[in-house]
Amino acid sequence: MKKSLLAIRDTLLAKHLPIFSAREFGVLLSLSNRQTLYYLQKGAENGLFIQAKRGIYYLKTDPPSELEIANQLYRPSYISFEFALAYYNLLPEMVYTITSATTKPTREYTVETKIFRYTTIKLSAYTGYEMKVANHKRFFIAEPEKAIVDYLYAVSLGRRALSERLDLSTVDIKKIKIYTALFASKSLNALVTKVFQK
């Protein structure tokens, strides 16, 4: 039995899946692999779906937030580093690239005009994030202290330049120490000590 694109859209919204993988789409609608490919191609041709990358789609009519896209584009991941620091007003400048932590290899994607950058961290340090809900949109983002430690870890590896405008006045030092220990990195330990002695 053929399904209408409108009915498919309604099902995706009812299941809170504005962004989804081809596999999730097929399972949700009880489709064969061939049917899944047919409906995804048809939806893209008719302007219902946008293909974010191979195998990942979202509703053009009811698009997810950029933060939801960031979480789903490359999994597992959570928003961290510069974007999270700006989100918490710990970094005063505007950040246009959405930065995330992942345990998978470092990657960068462009979806329409937005850049999504994923930086590898150790599996032992893949924690310290939480789900937030804003305007009915759900996304995973690092706690402020974890975003700082992730960022300083990247700086310690030479992957980032240390910003002189980082505001550390409101952070919990105990949490900083706990998250720093997860990385078991001498260079990170030295950098954290240096930064918090200022």
Side-chain angles (χ1 to χ4, degrees):
M1 188 175 104
K2 287 206 168 185
K3 303 173 187 289
S4 74
L5 290 179
L6 184 60
I8 288 173
R9 170 185 171 271
D10 290 344
T11 300
L12 289 167
L13 289 175
K15 294 294 183 179
H16 307 290
L17 275 177
I19 182 168
F20 48 87
S21 67
R23 183 180 178 281
E24 288 169 333
F25 182 83
V27 169
L28 176 65
L29 298 169
S30 302
L31 302 173
S32 67
N33 289 342
R34 187 175 178 181
Q35 290 172 319
T36 296
L37 183 61
Y38 167 79
Y39 281 110
L40 289 173
Q41 288 180 339
K42 185 178 178 183
E45 289 168 3
N46 284 273
L48 178 64
F49 303 143
I50 296 288
Q51 186 173 11
K53 72 168 188 177
R54 185 177 179 180
I56 300 291
Y57 298 80
Y58 63 86
L59 286 167
K60 185 176 182 179
T61 54
D62 304 84
S65 69
E66 293 171 336
L67 305 187
E68 287 178 304
I69 293 174
N71 282 175
Q72 297 299 316
L73 197 57
Y74 198 50
R75 297 186 284 185
S77 67
Y78 61 86
I79 296 151
S80 191
F81 306 103
E82 295 92 338
F83 192 90
L85 295 176
Y87 179 88
Y88 293 119
N89 296 313
L90 301 176
L91 202 60
E93 54 255 32
M94 291 288 291
V95 176
Y96 296 101
T97 297
I98 299 185
T99 52
S100 298
T102 182
T103 56
K104 294 170 72 176
T106 293
R107 288 283 186 276
E108 184 171 297
Y109 298 95
T110 301
V111 178
E112 298 187 278
T113 60
K114 197 72 184 178
I115 297 172
F116 297 85
R117 182 178 300 145
Y118 300 84
T119 300
T120 308
I121 65 168
K122 296 179 179 182
L123 181 60
S124 60
Y126 193 84
T127 186
Y129 59 92
E130 58 190 348
M131 176 185 281
K132 289 198 178 284
V133 180
N135 299 319
H136 305 291
K137 310 288 187 179
R138 300 180 180 191
F139 55 92
F140 290 105
I141 187 168
E143 295 179 5
E145 291 79 8
K146 187 55 165 47
I148 289 169
V149 175
D150 286 349
Y151 171 72
L152 293 177
Y153 176 66
V155 171
S156 75
L157 295 177
R159 296 176 182 171
R160 301 284 205 280
L162 181 61
S163 172
E164 295 296 324
R165 305 181 70 193
L166 193 59
D167 180 5
L168 303 172
S169 61
T170 60
V171 300
D172 184 333
I173 301 299
K174 288 183 180 178
K175 281 189 175 182
I176 293 288
K177 290 179 178 178
I178 291 169
Y179 290 137
T180 298
L182 297 176
F183 285 90
S185 165
K186 290 182 179 179
S187 59
L188 174 59
N189 290 344
L191 181 58
V192 168
T193 299
K194 178 183 175 183
V195 166
F196 281 90
Q197 280 179 345
K198 288 184 177 180

